[in-house]
Amino acid sequence: QVHLVESGGGLVQAGGSLRLSCAASGSIRSINSMGWYRQAPGKQRELVAVIISSGNTNYADSVKGRFTITRANAESTLNLQMNSLKPEDTAVYYCRMTIGGRFYWGQGTQVTVSS
């Protein structure tokens, strides 16, 4: 069993920064990929950024140049540094890890950017 816990969300003014973290516990061998997704009210959940086992990263066009995804602690922690935040970045942010071919999701953390 794998358990993911996100932290770091909150309220910030436009132009500000936040850092999200996702800590994994349990049977976390062979993590294939780690990513951040977000879901705004009335919208579908969308990919924000992903990092695969090789270290390669991929970002949504809307966050390129502003967000940075990294991993730490022997890959059991996933971070998302968010700079130059915009009101349209407001959403619940979820961490997802692919382990042994299965998806595991965190409970989500709210990010609210005021204009």
Side-chain angles (χ1 to χ4, degrees):
Q1 188 67 23
V2 175
H3 189 53
L4 306 180
V5 177
E6 299 106 334
S7 61
L11 173 64
V12 65
Q13 288 188 334
S17 298
L18 283 174
R19 182 178 178 86
L20 305 183
S21 292
C22 174
S25 60
S27 300
I28 55 174
R29 297 178 182 177
S30 302
I31 298 177
N32 304 114
S33 67
M34 310 164 79
W36 288 97
Y37 293 73
R38 67 187 181 187
Q39 187 166 19
K43 295 187 177 181
Q44 290 188 335
R45 192 171 297 188
E46 63 176 1
L47 172 69
V48 175
V50 64
I51 183 167
I52 63 176
S53 56
S54 66
N56 289 340
T57 59
N58 192 31
Y59 295 89
D61 288 342
S62 59
V63 307
K64 283 180 180 177
R66 299 188 297 122
F67 290 12
T68 303
I69 188 171
T70 57
R71 59 190 180 191
N73 298 333
E75 302 184 357
S76 64
T77 300
L78 181 68
N79 299 310
L80 185 69
Q81 179 65 42
M82 305 186 294
N83 298 327
S84 301
L85 283 161
K86 304 175 181 180
E88 51 263 44
D89 294 319
T90 295
V92 177
Y93 283 70
Y94 297 90
C95 167
R96 189 185 87 172
M97 295 189 185
T98 306
I99 303 172
R102 295 185 60 181
F103 295 149
Y104 296 90
W105 291 91
Q107 82 287 354
T109 185
Q110 177 70 45
V111 171
T112 302
V113 185
S114 63
S115 57

